[in-house]
């Protein structure tokens, strides 16, 4: 397989290749925009079936990718993001089934009204067109993005990370099989067939109008590059510097359960908590149990003076720690003077991704939910619910942390725009 990869990577004319891919995707987008919900669902059903039946092939390809990055000295967190298991492949297929079951957003009339002159105006959902998705280590993004774009009537060009190249190809074969069985154009879900990093720059250029929207799914450096270079609109998915604030009114056992899950369920996902904030009014009873619990399960805690006093194993926190997305078993912790200071800390150091409060005091919870300006805010629940599947979307392309068009989990509905349909009876404007 290594020889085949090198042959693909050695494309002599990458710009020409990418332009052809964009032309094919554009033509496919016109077909998908008019495809019936039934035809799209037939493709999704076939994709789900293909993923389940080709699980062994997907896992074998993934094993090669994982072996390669291990040999290169990748971190355990990176390896976890890259690794597929039988359970994760099954979850991928389950996500396809859920996407198939949600309402088709295309053609939905969101508003309708009549003007005094008798004209009726409708606002109706329509696809965006061709979406470019640039992602890094998570191969399941190929499936999530492919099926969400299909459901929403969009063509998609997928550019996965070089580390997940084999895995993405195996998953893409299942996506194409589903399109083929439903009679839809195979170019509707295109995987860039090269590891050449220059392909990213070409996608960011828009490929001469071939791409309508770019969605980056990866680390801070990828998103920064996309936002700096993109010449088409971007659904920004910034880093997840997520906080859990433990209010003085928090139930101690609930606080422990939520903090443990938010940090340690999967440390390498964007919804993982990276900073723990504890109300000073309850630090005497809540702080030590929380910090000791985290350290005892293998999480490094970096804290301020008050946190270090609670457990001698805590390491000093630097200024950089408050702004860091670790994606690993590391958390920053500090004591704050109530919900107001917690909100101020999140405002100064957060990434507008996901933040949670644990509190029995409804007034404190409401203040937090109202004033924390993040795409997702939670009360008495783990930050790891920051996931399109958990929102009932079946899957997600990412968590949009910007404020235009889409915010939070980007599912099928968020991958549509709208147009106005006006029905008249011969009206002319005086």
């Amino acid at each position: 397989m290594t020889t085949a990869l090198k042959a693909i990577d050695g494309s002599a004319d990458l710009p020409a290749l990418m332009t052809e891919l964009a032309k094919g995707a554009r033509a496919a987008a016109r077909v998908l925009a008019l495809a019936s919900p039934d035809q799209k669902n037939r493709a999704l059903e076939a994709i789900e079936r293909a993923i389940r039946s080709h699980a062994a092939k997907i896992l074998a390809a993934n094993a090669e990718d994982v072996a390669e990055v291990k040999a290169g000295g990748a971190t355990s967190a990176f390896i976890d993001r890259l690794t597929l298991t039988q359970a994760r492949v099954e979850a991928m297929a389950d996500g396809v089934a859920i996407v198939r079951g949600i309402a088709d957003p295309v053609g939905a009339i969101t508003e309708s009204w009549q003007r005094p002159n008798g004209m009726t105006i409708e606002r109706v959902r329509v696809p965006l067109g061709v979406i470019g998705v640039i992602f890094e280590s998570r191969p399941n993004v190929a499936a999530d993005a492919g099926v969400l774009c299909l459901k929403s009537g969009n063509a998609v060009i997928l550019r996965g990370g070089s580390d997940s190249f084999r895995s993405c190809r195996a998953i893409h074969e299942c996506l194409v099989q589903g399109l083929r069985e439903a009679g839809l154009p195979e170019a509707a879900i295109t995987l860039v067939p090269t590891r050449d990093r220059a392909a990213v720059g070409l996608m960011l250029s828009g490929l001469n109008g071939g791409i309508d929207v770019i969605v980056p799914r990866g680390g801070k450096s990828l998103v920064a590059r996309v936002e700096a270079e993109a010449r088409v609109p971007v659904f920004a998915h910034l880093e997840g510097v997520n906080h859990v604030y433990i209010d003085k009114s928090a139930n101690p056992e609930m606080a422990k359960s939520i903090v443990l899950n938010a940090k340690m369920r999967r440390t390498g996902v964007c919804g993982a908590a990276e900073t723990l904030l504890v109300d000073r009014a309850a630090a005497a009873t809540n702080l030590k149990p929380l910090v000791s619990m985290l350290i005892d399960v293998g999480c490094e805690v970096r804290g301020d003076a008050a946190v270090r006093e609670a457990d001698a194993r805590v390491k000093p926190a630097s200024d950089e720690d408050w702004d860091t997305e670790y994606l690993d078993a590391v958390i920053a912790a500090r004591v704050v003077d109530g919900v107001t200071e917690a909100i101020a800390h999140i405002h100064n150091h957060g990434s507008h991704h996901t933040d949670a409060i644990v509190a029995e005091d409804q007034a404190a919870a409401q203040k937090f939910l109202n004033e924390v300006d993040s795409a997702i805010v939670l009360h008495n629940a783990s930050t790891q619910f920051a996931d399109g599947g958990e929102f009932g979307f079946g899957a997600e392309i990412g968590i949009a942390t910007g404020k235009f068009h889409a915010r939070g989990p980007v599912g099928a509905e968020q991958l549509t725009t709208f147009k106005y349909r006006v029905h008249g009876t011969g009206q002319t404007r005086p």
Side-chain angles (χ1 to χ4, degrees), residues 64 82 143 170 347:
E64 292 189 52
L82 175 63
H347 174 77

Side-chain angles (χ1 to χ4, degrees), residues 286-332:
N286 285 344
L287 184 58
K288 182 175 177 57
L290 290 168
V291 171
S292 298
M293 172 193 68
L294 287 168
I295 296 174
D296 288 345
V297 297
C299 181
E300 178 182 318
V301 178
R302 302 176 185 177
D304 64 4
V307 177
R308 295 199 301 276
E309 287 180 10
D311 193 307
R313 296 172 293 175
V314 175
K315 297 182 178 180
S318 67
D319 290 341
E320 290 75 23
D321 283 312
W322 309 120
D323 303 302
T324 298
E325 182 185 30
Y326 300 106
L327 297 174
D328 204 348
V330 182
I331 194 168

Side-chain angles (χ1 to χ4, degrees), residues 43-51 96 147 150 174-175 178-179 189:
L44 291 168
E45 183 178 10
I47 289 170
E48 178 196 351
R49 190 167 59 248
I51 290 173
V96 179
V147 300
L150 170 58
C174 299
L175 301 175
L179 292 169
I189 305 176

